[in-house]
Amino acid sequence: MRADALACYGNPAAITPRLDALASKSARFDRSFVNHTKCTPSRCSLVTAQYPHVGGHRTLDMPVRPHEPNLVRTLKDAGYRTALIGKNHCVDDQTLPLTLDFHGRGKGGDTQLDPADPPPMATGSYYVGRFTAPLDTCGDHTSTTLALDWLTEQVQTQPETPAFLWLNWDAPHPPYRAPEPFFGSTPRDKIPPLLPTPDPEGRAGFHDRLTEAYQTAGMTEAQWRETHGCYLDMCGLIDHEVGRVLDKLDELGIAENTIVLVWSDHGDFAGDYGLPEKWDTCFTDNLIRVPTLIHAPGRVEAQVVDAMFESIDLLPTALDLAGVNRPAGIQGISYRGVLEGRDEPPRDIAFCQGGQEPELLAKTVAADAKPRPCMAYQMKQAALYADPTINLRAKMIRSDTHKYVFRMDGSEELYDLIEDPGELRNVAAVPAAAPNLAKMRARMMQKLVEAETVDPPQDYLES
């Protein structure tokens, strides 16, 4: 879920009343950025409060391991009952029982992933449209039900034991599909204009490779608008599920003693730049900027926070608000002092990374080498197999005014976010941009030093 998919973040087409109401009573972070644009590495950075490279989290197949810092495990060790409902994609099999008392997932989440025959538009668009299954059989809805049952059981049987519940919904992850009554609920005519194809001069290679593999070059503006509308319909579904959770907190009488965090592991193109889904080494704001809310009654006043914030900061802040000591060796920062008006914002840039090293990319397999969840993912894999260099490691920093990307092949990108907020023109090679390029290069070097591993934790020096 990208930040601008919600009405409270300024989208005039979004229908997200429950999240908007929650945001009005919360600290809403306007510039919250993920540290990786792929699912598992991003979730790992959330849980470890470390940058993904520290633990080697670069793929879907490298989750959190037992030896790593783990802030959910910290809560469990502090006496909390812990549960994850929904897709894991975060901790490995050995770490799961050390971290969670319960893990489950609602039924019905993995059906109807390919479009109808004949498809309403290009298969590579990920567009499915109407999810024909009844709402009460959809995976996200049944996951909510499972979570609320767990929460109710916790309150009824162990009311004095604190609890941590992570409800991890699939939507609005593609394929783009929404059940009734959400499909078609977003007014398509109110959707802001989608971003056009970037300037070919200096454009990253993945864009053309993906467009070719997805076979979406012929899609019309109206088709991409419909795709984006369906994406927003899915956000409306999640808004409804959030409402179910908030209502249950009220029903159980624990709403005023519960910290509620809303966060997403990455955004989505959803038709911007003529692309669907996401890409590991793309760092445009529609992928890295996510909604982040911290609702802590009696602890955090309602406010809009303009300070730079990263995913690794969320759980350190939550633990601080809950009065639980953070583990040593983490890189995330507690923003409690910022929220309480005592501290200045600690970050001047946001940092993000993605991609793999050549040795790993050399092992890329063909699209038909193993099962993929849907045909569009086959196409995505075909693009990577045809040119693995499009996923070479890359790192990004984003300041108030500029975004700088350095790729392992030596290529650079620089975007002037004031003049070009859509990041359509890479000005790294423009002579007039040379002073800003030099400034951002130097800041990237400083950040790479700052982001080095903190293992072993330095607290042993205190003795």
Side-chain angles (χ1 to χ4, degrees):
M1 183 181 284
R2 47 195 262 182
D4 64 1
L6 304 181
C8 59
Y9 280 90
N11 192 316
I15 302 175
T16 51
R18 299 306 300 268
L19 282 165
D20 299 339
L22 180 65
S24 70
K25 302 183 292 184
S26 306
R28 176 173 68 79
F29 288 81
D30 196 49
R31 294 194 295 168
S32 176
F33 300 97
V34 296
N35 300 117
H36 202 290
T37 55
K38 199 177 190 74
C39 316
T40 298
S42 183
R43 293 174 189 161
C44 292
S45 65
L46 174 79
V47 168
T48 63
Q50 293 184 330
Y51 291 119
H53 69 264
V54 174
H57 301 294
R58 295 187 293 278
T59 72
L60 297 177
D61 303 314
M62 180 52 71
V64 174
R65 293 153 290 174
H67 69 277
E68 297 183 78
N70 181 330
L71 274 65
V72 179
R73 183 175 174 180
T74 297
L75 285 167
K76 180 174 168 59
D77 292 343
Y80 279 65
R81 288 189 70 195
T82 57
L84 168 61
I85 311 295
K87 182 184 290 186
N88 175 6
H89 260 202
C90 186
V91 298
D92 68 12
D93 291 343
Q94 292 177 298
T95 309
L96 195 148
L98 301 174
T99 307
L100 301 166
D101 294 304
F102 178 77
H103 173 235
R105 188 175 183 181
K107 296 180 180 179
D110 292 320
T111 60
Q112 202 176 330
L113 295 180
D114 279 308
D117 186 22
M121 58 187 75
T123 302
S125 69
Y126 289 84
Y127 182 87
V128 173
R130 189 186 309 275
F131 188 19
T132 57
L135 175 61
D136 60 5
T137 66
C138 292
D140 283 336
H141 189 85
T142 58
S143 283
T144 305
T145 300
L146 182 62
L148 299 185
D149 288 346
W150 181 87
L151 188 60
T152 300
E153 186 271 339
Q154 153 68 24
V155 172
Q156 291 178 346
T157 62
Q158 301 186 51
E160 301 305 316
T161 303
F164 172 86
L165 170 61
W166 185 1
L167 184 44
N168 196 354
W169 292 292
D170 289 343
H173 198 292
Y176 307 110
R177 59 197 175 123
E180 300 286 0
F182 303 100
F183 177 69
S185 62
T186 303
R188 282 17 179 191
D189 60 341
K190 292 185 178 180
I191 296 173
L194 302 183
L195 293 169
T197 302
D199 190 327
E201 186 68 29
R203 184 165 66 204
F206 67 81
H207 185 281
D208 294 332
R209 283 292 190 183
L210 289 176
T211 301
E212 178 184 1
Y214 284 140
Q215 301 174 24
T216 53
M219 283 185 59
T220 65
E221 180 182 351
Q223 287 178 318
W224 280 124
R225 180 174 288 273
E226 170 58 27
T227 300
H228 193 93
C230 190
Y231 169 79
L232 294 178
D233 293 343
M234 298 171 76
C235 295
L237 164 65
I238 296 307
D239 183 78
H240 174 265
E241 299 304 312
V242 168
R244 294 180 66 201
V245 175
L246 299 178
D247 289 345
K248 178 59 70 171
L249 296 180
D250 285 332
E251 178 187 322
L252 295 173
I254 59 173
E256 295 305 308
N257 195 35
T258 298
I259 296 172
V260 178
L261 312 173
V262 175
W263 174 81
S264 170
D265 56 357
H266 54 76
D268 197 289
F269 291 123
D272 278 341
Y273 312 122
L275 289 174
E277 222 238 347
K278 61 184 182 295
W279 188 249
D280 300 35
T281 58
C282 181
F283 307 106
T284 48
D285 271 9
N286 47 19
L287 298 189
I288 67 169
R289 180 172 172 252
V290 296
T292 300
L293 309 178
I294 298 180
H295 178 63
R299 295 176 175 86
V300 174
E301 293 184 2
Q303 58 192 288
V304 176
V305 184
D306 188 51
M308 288 280 187
F309 188 81
E310 296 183 349
S311 290
I312 59 173
D313 303 324
L314 185 60
L315 287 186
T317 302
L319 263 65
D320 199 356
L321 290 169
V324 176
N325 291 330
R326 305 186 299 278
I330 64 172
Q331 296 168 306
I333 302 169
S334 170
Y335 272 58
R336 181 176 181 177
V338 175
L339 297 177
E340 294 177 349
R342 294 182 285 104
D343 297 340
E344 291 296 317
R347 298 194 184 279
D348 66 315
I349 59 167
F351 179 62
C352 193
Q353 57 192 255
Q356 290 97 45
E357 62 275 19
E359 294 83 358
L360 183 58
L361 291 173
K363 299 179 180 181
T364 303
V365 299
D368 59 358
K370 63 180 183 179
R372 308 282 169 184
C374 69
M375 183 56 68
Y377 278 111
Q378 294 274 76
M379 295 174 165
K380 180 180 181 181
Q381 183 65 20
L384 182 60
Y385 186 68
D387 184 4
T389 65
I390 62 176
N391 214 34
L392 276 170
R393 283 192 199 173
K395 296 186 187 292
M396 177 228 78
I397 57 171
R398 186 199 193 284
S399 71
D400 295 338
T401 60
H402 290 82
K403 181 176 292 185
Y404 174 72
V405 179
F406 183 83
R407 302 186 182 277
M408 200 171 183
D409 62 4
S411 62
E412 296 175 286
E413 295 167 42
L414 180 69
Y415 300 96
D416 184 330
L417 300 177
I418 304 301
E419 298 295 328
D420 178 27
E423 303 169 63
L424 299 174
R425 184 172 181 238
N426 174 15
V427 297
V430 175
N436 286 319
L437 180 64
K439 179 181 178 181
M440 294 301 281
R441 280 174 174 167
R443 186 64 184 92
M444 174 69 88
M445 289 295 294
Q446 180 183 350
K447 183 60 187 181
L448 293 177
V449 174
E450 294 170 356
E452 288 179 352
T453 177
V454 290
D455 186 37
Q458 302 299 301
D459 55 343
Y460 74 90
L461 293 173
E462 296 175 1
S463 60

